[in-house]
Structures are given as C-alpha cells and as structure tokens.
Amino acid sequence: MPLRFTLRQLEYFVAVGEAGSIAKAAEQVNVSPPSISASIAQLEAEFGVQLFVRKHSHALALTAGGRLFLKEAARLLNDADALHDIAGDIAEKVRGPLAIGCLLTFAQIVLPTLRRKFEDAYPDVRVRQFERNQGQLFEMLQRGEIDAALTYDLELSQDMTFEPLMQLPAYVMLPAAHRLAGRAGITPEELVDEPMVLLDLPYSREYFLSAFQPKGLRPKIAERTGDIAVMRSMVANGFGYGIANMRPLNTMSPDGKLLVFVPLLGDIRPLTMGIALPNAEHRTLTVQAFIDHCRHFVVEQGVFGTERIVK
C-alpha cells in the first residue's frame, strides 16, 4: 500500500526534532502548534512508530527510532528541494525554496529590507533566513543547511566561493561626549589605555584585535558581548569604545543615545561584505537571482553610507 504522508508533515517533524519543542518549531515555520502536533501524530500512526517522548516543561526528545527517522526525513526534504531547483531551471523560472544565512552583526540592518525586495520581485521563492555568527554560518554551508550566506571575507575555506559586494572600513564607536569623538581619525596607540567593549564573536574578535597586534599593543578589554546592539548601548553609556565595520545611517544606540563613528587608522584592513556559497559546478537560477539582487540592492540602497562597492 502507498504511504499516506506529505512533505509538509515531514517539514513540521524535522522542525520539532531540531527545535526540541512544538512551540519553538511553530514559530520557525509560522504554523499553529496544534497543526504541528496533528501532523506528527499522523506520521506516527502511518508508520507505526513513536517519534518523540515528552519531557518536563513541554519539551520533546526524539526516540532512538525518531533520530533515525529525522535523518532520513531531512534527506528526503533536501532531495525534494533539489527537484524544485531542477524544475525551476528547466522552466527557466526563479522559484522554490531558498535558505539564506546572514551574519549577526549586520543582519538587523541589511536582511529585512533586502529580503522584502527580493520576495516582492520573485513571489514564487520561499525564503528562510538564519542569523548566525561566522563559524555557525560556515558550518551550515558545509552541511548544506543554507544555500548562501551574507557575511564577511573572514577565514573563508577552499570549499567555498565568495561573491564580494562592498568594502567596509573599520570605525571606532564612541559616546558623543568622549574626548576623541571630534577627531577625523583615531590610531590604535590613542586607544590602548581606553576601556574597550569587545564584540566577542568567532573570527570577528580576532579581526578587531588585529588592529593592535602589528605594533605590539594590547587593548584594555573592559567588557565583552556577542550582541552588537548591546555593544552599541554599552558604548553609548560610557563603558568603553567599540570597533565595528559599519556606520549605520541611524547613529543612535538602541536605548536612544547618540553615538559617534570615527575612522580607525593604522594597518587594519577593510572587511569585504559578500555572499559565501559552497563550491558547486551548477548554480541554480534562484541562487543566481539572489546574488544579482544583492548587487543591485547594494548599489541602489546604500546600506551604511560609507561603503565602497566592489565590482
């Protein structure tokens, strides 16, 4: 007898298996929890297996059989996505699923508007977005969980292709009343005795600290955070200076205080923002359309106001 299940049911099951709870999965796939519960119950009834055991606080844990089922369900969904890609290419249409990763440090500034314009231009594409740090984005690319990642050219591996979009110089972020806020540029030597709020993310932290290393300097790290919005507010409230490769058009901190961005002088190189992709002989029309869209977006939108477009 033919099996009676849908790819949508498998998608809901995989979402729950990865999230560990129906509530979290419901937020990710934008479906009500009862719909997801019903789909999982139908799968269990169809296959005659128990996929989850309920834990405390409404969390779910995969059974041994559920873990095997999850692996194969994820593979089947990937194969189905590949069929969508092939069908779109045959029909010469931009369509189907597209999973995009974006670096945490600029996702809030770039991704919502860029995605909105892309989906308006290509309504047959179903976009999923993931905001992660650099290391997590690379892992997701290598595992095939995302099709492309908007990120910086930091520690790229040989199994990746990088499409550059813009160069972003380094800036010193300061509260408006800081004694150095009126300078045209600031050297690492002038910062070495000042407290620093370090954006402590994989690969990014090494890049920021590299501004001091050529001259044997060690910055005075007073605070660390993995959230750039928190760093902006901490700087605005006088906990120290920060270093960032963006000067947003809105220079207010999240809590409403004025920030000043002064170019960081010295040997630190500009970062290049671009699109990282796995090396592949074939690039789908949908992925290529997204790359082309990003290039047009950078030229027309002007993301940070100070970037240099890479052609």
Side-chain angles (χ1 to χ4, degrees):
M1 293 179 60
L3 293 173
R4 294 180 294 274
F5 69 94
T6 67
L7 292 176
R8 187 69 66 197
Q9 289 171 339
L10 290 182
E11 180 185 355
Y12 295 165
F13 162 69
V14 170
V16 175
E18 293 177 346
S21 86
I22 289 177
K24 291 180 181 178
E27 292 179 3
Q28 293 175 4
V29 298
N30 196 27
V31 174
S32 69
S35 296
I36 292 182
S37 295
S39 292
I40 291 174
Q42 290 167 4
L43 284 176
E44 290 180 324
E46 176 64 31
F47 288 95
V49 296
Q50 183 180 0
L51 299 174
F52 293 100
V53 292
R54 188 169 296 278
K55 301 171 66 177
H56 61 280
S57 302
H58 304 290
L60 296 176
L62 287 162
T63 63
R67 288 193 292 271
L68 293 174
F69 200 90
L70 177 66
K71 181 178 179 181
E72 290 305 312
R75 182 187 62 79
L76 184 58
L77 289 173
N78 285 334
D79 289 344
D81 286 348
L83 286 176
H84 272 291
D85 292 341
I86 293 170
D89 287 356
I90 292 172
E92 296 186 346
K93 290 183 64 178
V94 177
R95 53 173 295 185
L98 180 67
I100 298 299
C102 188
L103 194 64
L104 279 168
T105 51
F106 56 74
Q108 60 185 305
I109 300 172
V110 176
L111 192 56
T113 303
L114 184 147
R115 178 181 169 183
R116 178 74 278 156
K117 290 180 178 293
F118 182 75
E119 291 187 0
D120 288 346
Y122 300 102
D124 292 332
V125 178
R126 302 192 312 277
V127 177
R128 290 182 298 151
Q129 70 181 55
F130 303 87
E131 305 88 39
R132 301 289 190 271
N133 65 47
Q134 186 85 328
Q136 291 168 330
L137 289 177
F138 289 168
E139 290 173 1
M140 294 181 76
L141 282 171
Q142 291 165 349
R143 293 195 299 260
E145 295 173 357
I146 54 176
D147 299 299
L150 281 160
T151 188
Y152 290 138
D153 59 335
L154 285 173
E155 303 297 329
L156 298 169
S157 64
Q158 294 183 345
D159 59 353
M160 294 181 193
T161 298
F162 188 75
E163 298 280 349
L165 295 174
M166 67 179 84
Q167 282 191 342
L168 298 169
Y171 286 89
V172 181
M173 184 190 306
L174 297 166
H178 196 280
R179 63 181 183 85
L180 298 175
R183 300 287 297 276
I186 300 175
T187 66
E189 289 88 344
E190 294 172 298
L191 294 172
V192 71
D193 292 326
E194 296 280 337
M196 179 185 192
V197 181
L198 176 66
L199 185 60
D200 195 5
L201 292 170
Y203 304 113
S204 297
R205 73 175 74 90
E206 290 81 8
Y207 168 77
F208 296 133
L209 295 177
S210 72
F212 301 88
Q213 292 166 352
K215 298 186 178 180
L217 302 175
R218 295 185 64 180
K220 185 190 297 182
I221 301 172
E223 303 288 343
R224 297 172 182 261
T225 177
D227 188 318
I228 192 164
V230 173
M231 183 183 79
R232 286 164 61 92
S233 289
M234 293 189 74
V235 169
N237 283 278
F239 287 95
Y241 68 90
I243 299 178
N245 288 80
M246 61 181 78
R247 189 172 68 179
L249 300 179
N250 178 3
T251 56
M252 302 294 288
S253 67
D255 59 351
K257 296 180 175 64
L258 184 63
L259 290 166
V260 174
F261 292 79
V262 181
L264 177 60
L265 307 177
D267 298 327
I268 189 169
R269 70 175 180 88
L271 287 181
T272 299
M273 178 196 289
I275 306 168
L277 310 104
N279 287 337
E281 294 181 4
H282 174 70
R283 185 175 293 174
T284 69
L285 288 176
T286 301
V287 169
Q288 187 59 53
F290 180 75
I291 295 171
D292 295 340
H293 173 78
C294 289
R295 293 196 184 283
H296 291 307
F297 177 84
V298 165
V299 172
E300 295 173 2
Q301 185 80 11
V303 181
F304 305 124
T306 55
E307 64 268 13
R308 185 174 73 81
I309 307 302
V310 180
K311 298 180 180 180

